[in-house]
Structures are given as structure tokens and as C-alpha cells.
Amino acid sequence: DEEFVMSLPPQPSDVIYGDLAVPRVGQWLLASFGFCCILILFWCFLPVVVILTSVTNLKAIERHFPKMHMFVDVHPRLHALLDGVFAKMALVMFMSLLPMMLMMIFHRFYSLKAHAWAQLKLQRWYFGFMAVYILLITAVGSSLLAGLQRIYDHPPVVFGILANALPTATNFFLEFMLVQWVSLGVNLTRYMQAVKYLGLRPLLGTRRAAELAEPEDQDYYGIGG
């Protein structure tokens, strides 16, 4: 016997009609390739995130980049600010690339059937990436693989790992929250739309420039990111 599975449909303008024509076998194969791409993306981002989370002060940065010492000598007032948030700012900027790359994988390999469902998938995967990159890597540091193996073998051990490691990383999280507040405040100014509008207005006129400046990039500014 056949059964109908009912669910709330998306808006007609949001439907990706091409995905409705993909056969079930094709959906499974493409989703498998997409999952492999997500794993590759995870391991490609991992070394950079480990480096950025390990560089916790300006002295460590100066050892790797001698020119930074010269810059601080010329601008001594920036020393305290850079010492606290430089690495976290770099981490936030680097992680801002993740939603765009995940959405590229979703649209290429997954049969989403609606753009809103892509945002839902992005929200789930992005949360997992952030939990590993920001929470676990900061807590377990260079022993991430060993920590993940322990968690895989005995999941409840994750609470003990975090309880032992997170108190030593409180400064990192406080500085990271500060950078996130600044990032959200800048986003509220909608500076990118202003840049697009001011750049297009001399070429296309006020009305057309306003139309092309909207909306925001849904990969980063959407409900899933």
C-alpha cells in the first residue's frame, strides 16, 4: 500500500523546481558526494582554526610576523587592543567564509526543493562546525583528534573534558564574545548594501541601484547563518 506524507509546503516563489525532477537514486548519490565535500571542508578549515585559536596574544603573533612588532612600535596605543582581539578577529573573519562554502555544497549536491530548506540545513551543519571549531578546539587544543576519539568511544566523557578545559580558556571566550558583538553591530549598519548602492548609483541611477543593492547575501546573513 502507498502512503502520502504531508508537510507544510514552502512559498511557491521559494521552490527549486529543478530538484523535484531528480530521481531518488540520483539524490542519494549526490548527497553522498556532498557529505564527502563537507568532510573535506572540515579538514581543510581545521588547521587554520587550530592556529588561530592557539595564537592568543600579540607576542605570539610577533614571533611569526616580525613586521607586526614594528607596527606596534609605531602605534603603541593599539597594543592593548590588538593583544586582546587580534586572533579572535581573524578567527571570526575566517569563519565567515564557512556559510558561503557550505551553501555552495548544498546547492550543488543536495536536492533541497526550496531555498528555505537550504537555510535549515545550513543552520544544522554550521552549528556543528562552530561547536567543534570554537568550543572543542579551544578546550582540547592540539589533542583534538584524541579528544574526538574519546568522545566517540564514550560520549558522556565530553562533559568531563569541557569541565576540565573550559575554565582555562575563559579569556579566549570573553574576547571572542567582544569581537562577536562588534561584528553584529557592524552588520546592523548594513554597510555592504550602502557600498553596493553608492557604487551602482552613478552607473545605473538611484532606483535601479536600490533594487540591485537588496537583499543581503543569504548565505551569510540568512536565518541559517
Side-chain angles (χ1 to χ4, degrees):
D1 296 335
E2 296 183 356
E3 296 181 356
F4 285 100
V5 179
M6 310 298 292
S7 62
L8 292 175
Q11 294 293 329
S13 60
D14 195 49
V15 175
I16 306 174
Y17 291 96
D19 287 355
L20 300 176
V22 180
R24 188 175 298 274
V25 176
Q27 293 180 19
W28 183 84
L29 290 175
L30 288 174
S32 300
F33 283 118
F35 183 76
C36 292
C37 290
I38 293 175
L39 290 180
I40 294 172
L41 180 65
F42 175 84
W43 292 111
C44 289
F45 267 61
L46 185 60
V48 180
V49 174
V50 170
I51 293 173
L52 292 176
T53 54
S54 63
V55 180
T56 57
N57 56 64
L58 196 58
K59 291 182 179 180
I61 299 174
E62 291 175 353
R63 285 197 298 267
H64 295 87
F65 303 97
K67 292 185 178 180
M68 180 59 69
H69 180 71
M70 299 171 57
F71 178 80
V72 173
D73 288 341
V74 177
H75 305 86
R77 295 183 179 179
L78 295 178
H79 183 276
L81 177 63
L82 293 177
D83 192 38
V85 302
F86 186 85
K88 289 74 184 176
M89 191 182 305
L91 178 61
V92 169
M93 294 176 64
F94 182 73
M95 292 296 292
S96 66
L97 300 174
L98 187 58
M100 177 188 66
M101 303 188 76
L102 285 173
M103 289 295 279
M104 290 174 59
I105 294 174
F106 296 156
H107 285 295
R108 179 63 183 85
F109 294 103
Y110 287 87
S111 296
L112 303 169
K113 300 182 177 65
H115 295 285
W117 295 357
Q119 292 291 332
L120 177 60
K121 187 176 289 291
L122 173 63
Q123 184 182 42
R124 292 171 176 172
W125 277 103
Y126 193 44
F127 175 82
F129 273 66
M130 294 292 284
V132 174
Y133 287 157
I134 304 301
L135 194 63
L136 288 181
I137 288 181
T138 304
V140 302
S142 59
S143 58
L144 176 65
L145 294 179
L148 291 177
Q149 183 64 42
R150 290 177 59 193
I151 295 172
Y152 178 78
D153 294 337
H154 188 59
V157 78
V158 65
F159 300 106
I161 293 175
L162 295 178
N164 293 329
L166 286 181
T168 63
T170 52
N171 285 345
F172 173 88
F173 288 111
L174 288 173
E175 294 162 358
F176 185 78
M177 289 177 62
L178 175 63
V179 174
Q180 287 284 44
W181 290 341
V182 174
S183 176
L184 292 174
V186 172
N187 291 340
L188 289 175
T189 64
R190 307 187 77 221
Y191 67 96
M192 189 56 65
Q193 278 61 52
V195 171
K196 290 180 181 179
Y197 174 76
L198 295 175
L200 294 173
R201 186 175 62 178
L203 301 175
L204 303 175
T206 301
R207 183 173 181 179
R208 184 56 178 164
E211 292 175 353
L212 295 177
E214 298 286 353
E216 296 93 339
D217 179 21
Q218 294 303 299
D219 294 352
Y220 181 74
Y221 296 101
I223 59 175

